């Protein structure tokens, strides 16, 4: 493999998504007799940071004079949960090769230590940069979120769910490249999960990650899938644009209640300067019901991300879509037959999905609908939900292409089943319905019973605390 792929030096020519997905790489795992032997290969420099596993140093490869980061980890006790997390992290890093995901170059093992040699990110963590800048411009945010979405699409295609996406786990390769862009690398796969099962096996129940970035379905403890990463992208994007998290509360239970009872807040003065396009995306990423969340692929196709100003701003709710469609019918650009809504009675047990999955359309990600069109979403068609449940990711991939790997699994499908989108629906009604569905026993119900319970006291005053269940 070329050195450039490992070092990430290809960054400048990777604006096209297809060129960013590179081939799997071979990561050598090298056994050393003594720790001092590594000092003959690398010259250790300044300390870059300290994590829960070990210390990270800047290091220069003596032979090539290239700079790297080396994470020095004290070998945890065999069989311990720490070992499992480390193994999981190394396992995943060995499989990934993407310009926006940290690259693992080599692993060195000695009797007492493990050394992970990764590409060096001289710009530090994204949260440090945010603290300095207070907030990012829309252009800067667009570039960062596009990179993050590309990384997540790539990971999800490999059935990897990061589960702890946050500003602290996004490193900045270098402060700014020649074009003034901030190039990011997703890191810290300690809490990531690789889904290998089918259908229900792909639903995870561990509560892990960092509270303010945590998807409500994960907080509720009832089960979640890869859509938890989408929620985190939404929180990251919100924070980049205004410097603060969208939802804050003292405990997990109160935070969940806050998320369930409020719209995504855009009332601070700073939001008056932010485009409607960006706000629409945030609303679509931060949908309470994962079944209604925008998919990472849809995010990449959104005109706000692509910068395609020729695509008209598309209405973000059913009512607006109806109005626009009726206007089109009135002006003769479409026939009434195109308006293929069914009555709400007809839709019992079914869910309505946009007919097209085109850029800039409604955020519903029911992409398994066989009906696809290149025109913007204008009509809703019912799809049977039963067909989706229980299907394997592999089968879905074969049937529908790699996109299907991010298809919501059964639990999400159940959520769809309970949504009846009538023509009278509005965004607010939809959100209320989301919350109702979410909190009902039919799908991902929210268990607020822990309020005042055992986990609350433990979490008091620690909004950003990480809950690593496996430790
Ligand atoms: N490749 C890198 N380039 C530059 N700095 C890095 C790199 N990797 C890690 N760091 C810095 O070192 C710090 C510690 O990283 P490390 O991955 O050990 O811990 P962490 O991100 O806090 O996660 P955890 O404690 O869950 O392992 C990070 O916060 C970051 O600032």
């Amino acid at each position: 493999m070329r050195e450039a792929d490992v070092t990430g030096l290809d960054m400048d020519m990777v604006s096209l998504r297809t060129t960013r997905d590179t081939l799997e790489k071979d990561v050598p795992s090298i056994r050393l007799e003594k720790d001092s032997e590594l000092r003959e290969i690398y010259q250790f420099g300044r300390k870059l940071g300290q994590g829960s596993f070990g210390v990270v140093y800047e290091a220069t490869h003596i032979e090539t004079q290239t700079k790297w980061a080396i994470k020095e980890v004290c070998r945890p006790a065999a069989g311990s949960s720490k070992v499992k997390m480390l193994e999981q992290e190394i396992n995943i890093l060995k499989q990934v090769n993407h310009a926006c995901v940290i690259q693992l170059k080599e692993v060195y093992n000695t009797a007492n230590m493990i050394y992970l040699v990764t590409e060096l990110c001289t710009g530090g963590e994204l949260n440090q940069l945010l603290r300095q800048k207070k907030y990012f411009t829309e252009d800067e945010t667009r570039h960062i979120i596009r990179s993050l979405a590309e990384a997540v699409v790539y990971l999800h295609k490999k059935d990897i769910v990061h589960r702890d996406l946050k500003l602290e786990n996004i490193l900045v390769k270098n402060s700014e490249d020649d074009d003034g862009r901030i190039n990011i690398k997703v890191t810290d796969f300690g809490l990531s999960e690789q889904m290998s099962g089918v259908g229900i096996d792909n639903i995870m129940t561990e509560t892990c990650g960092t509270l303010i970035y945590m998807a409500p379905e994960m907080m509720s403890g009832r089960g979640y899938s890869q859509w938890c990463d989408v929620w985190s992208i939404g929180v990251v994007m919100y924070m980049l644009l205004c410097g603060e998290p969208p939802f804050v509360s003292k405990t997990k239970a109160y935070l969940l209640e806050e998320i369930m009872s409020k719209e995504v807040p855009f009332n601070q003065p700073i939001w008056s300067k932010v485009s409607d396009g960006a706000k629409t995306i945030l609303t679509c990423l931060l949908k309470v019901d994962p079944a209604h969340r925008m998919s990472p692929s849809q995010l990449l196709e959104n005109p706000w991300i692509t910068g395609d100003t020729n695509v008209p701003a598309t209405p973000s709710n059913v009512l607006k879509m109806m109005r626009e469609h009726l206007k089109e019918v009135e002006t003769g650009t479409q026939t009434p037959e195109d308006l293929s809504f069914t009555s709400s009675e007809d839709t019992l047990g079914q869910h309505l999905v946009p007919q097209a999955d085109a850029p800039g359309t409604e955020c519903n990600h029911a992409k398994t609908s066989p009906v696809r069109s290149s025109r913007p979403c204008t009509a809703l068609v019912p799809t049977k939900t039963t067909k989706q449940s229980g299907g394997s990711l592999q089968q879905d991939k074969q049937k529908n292409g790699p996109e299907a790997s991010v298809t919501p699994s059964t639990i999400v499908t159940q959520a769809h089943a309970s949504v009846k989108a009538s023509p009278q629906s509005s965004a607010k009604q939809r959100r209320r319905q989301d919350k109702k569905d979410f909190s009902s026993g039919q799908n991902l119900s929210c268990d607020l019973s822990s309020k005042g319970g055992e986990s609350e006291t433990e979490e008091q005053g620690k909004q950003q605390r990480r809950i690593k269940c496996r430790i």
Side-chain angles (χ1 to χ4, degrees), residues 52-261:
S52 50
F53 285 122
V55 185
V56 181
Y57 295 96
E58 188 176 307
T60 307
H61 187 251
I62 295 168
E63 200 184 313
T64 59
Q65 285 298 298
T66 47
K67 289 207 184 283
W68 303 89
I70 298 186
K71 184 154 143 178
E72 191 182 57
V73 181
C74 257
R75 191 177 283 281
S80 69
S81 51
K82 259 191 167 182
V83 150
K84 278 183 204 139
M85 283 179 79
L86 199 59
E87 271 172 8
Q88 178 80 321
E89 174 153 32
I90 294 172
N91 227 347
I92 287 175
L93 282 175
K94 277 183 170 180
Q95 293 175 52
V96 294
N97 194 8
H98 188 273
C100 302
V101 179
I102 200 83
Q103 295 286 313
L104 178 65
K105 183 190 176 242
E106 291 165 333
V107 181
Y108 288 92
N109 290 285
T110 65
N112 303 318
M113 309 292 281
I114 301 168
Y115 300 92
L116 306 183
V117 182
T118 61
E119 64 182 304
L120 176 66
C121 294
T122 50
E125 294 170 5
L126 193 54
N127 64 319
Q128 293 164 341
L129 199 56
L130 178 64
R131 233 176 287 139
Q132 280 167 25
K133 292 173 78 97
K134 293 207 166 49
Y135 54 87
F136 287 93
T137 64
E138 273 194 54
D139 271 348
E140 290 166 334
T141 304
R142 176 179 297 114
H143 182 68
I144 294 169
I145 293 300
R146 188 194 297 138
S147 306
L148 185 56
E150 284 178 3
V152 170
V153 167
Y154 173 80
L155 293 171
H156 287 186
K157 272 184 191 166
K158 287 184 160 291
D159 293 336
I160 297 165
V161 188
H162 188 284
R163 304 205 297 184
D164 197 16
L165 288 176
K166 56 178 176 177
L167 293 166
E168 292 84 339
N169 287 339
I170 300 170
L171 296 178
V172 179
K173 176 76 184 164
N174 24 40
S175 311
E176 279 176 1
D177 69 6
D178 296 341
D179 301 331
R181 292 178 313 180
I182 297 154
N183 290 318
I184 59 143
K185 304 278 172 177
V186 173
T187 186
D188 199 351
F189 288 81
L191 290 175
S192 303
E193 191 70 49
Q194 186 148 31
M195 300 185 297
S196 53
V198 293
I200 197 87
D201 292 342
N202 281 320
I203 294 161
M204 296 162 278
T205 50
E206 281 174 306
T207 307
C208 58
T210 307
L211 214 45
I212 58 163
Y213 297 89
M214 195 184 285
E217 67 272 20
M218 191 193 268
M219 270 187 228
S220 74
R222 295 291 175 96
Y224 58 92
S225 64
Q226 61 268 50
W227 297 97
C228 64
D229 285 345
V230 178
W231 177 275
S232 306
I233 297 176
V235 176
V236 167
M237 178 171 161
Y238 186 98
M239 290 181 75
L240 294 179
L241 286 167
C242 83
E244 285 171 21
F247 303 102
V248 184
S249 218
K250 279 190 177 153
T251 67
K252 187 166 76 171
Y254 284 128
L255 183 60
L256 187 53
E257 204 173 63
E258 166 112 353
I259 291 170
M260 304 288 282
S261 60

Side-chain angles (χ1 to χ4, degrees), residues 340-402:
S340 54
F341 281 108
T342 53
S343 76
S344 55
E345 269 170 34
D346 290 338
T347 61
L348 268 177
Q350 299 175 323
H351 72 277
L352 294 171
V353 296
Q355 191 169 3
D357 193 9
T361 59
E362 167 73 15
C363 25
N364 190 316
H365 56 67
K367 59 175 80 62
T368 46
S369 167
V371 187
R372 289 182 79 90
S373 147
S374 56
R375 69 191 163 87
C377 167
T378 50
L380 296 177
V381 290
T383 26
K384 290 218 163 61
T385 53
T386 44
K387 201 157 178 279
Q388 294 171 4
S389 47
S392 86
L393 281 176
Q394 293 312 319
Q395 283 166 348
D396 284 348
K397 272 185 192 168
Q398 278 162 14
K399 251 190 297 173
N400 305 324

Side-chain angles (χ1 to χ4, degrees), residues 251-253 450-460 465:
T251 67
K252 187 166 76 171
S450 63
K451 204 198 285 181
E454 81 296 340
S455 59
E456 190 182 37
T457 39
E458 193 192 47
E459 281 167 3
Q460 293 257 333
R465 197 193 116 183

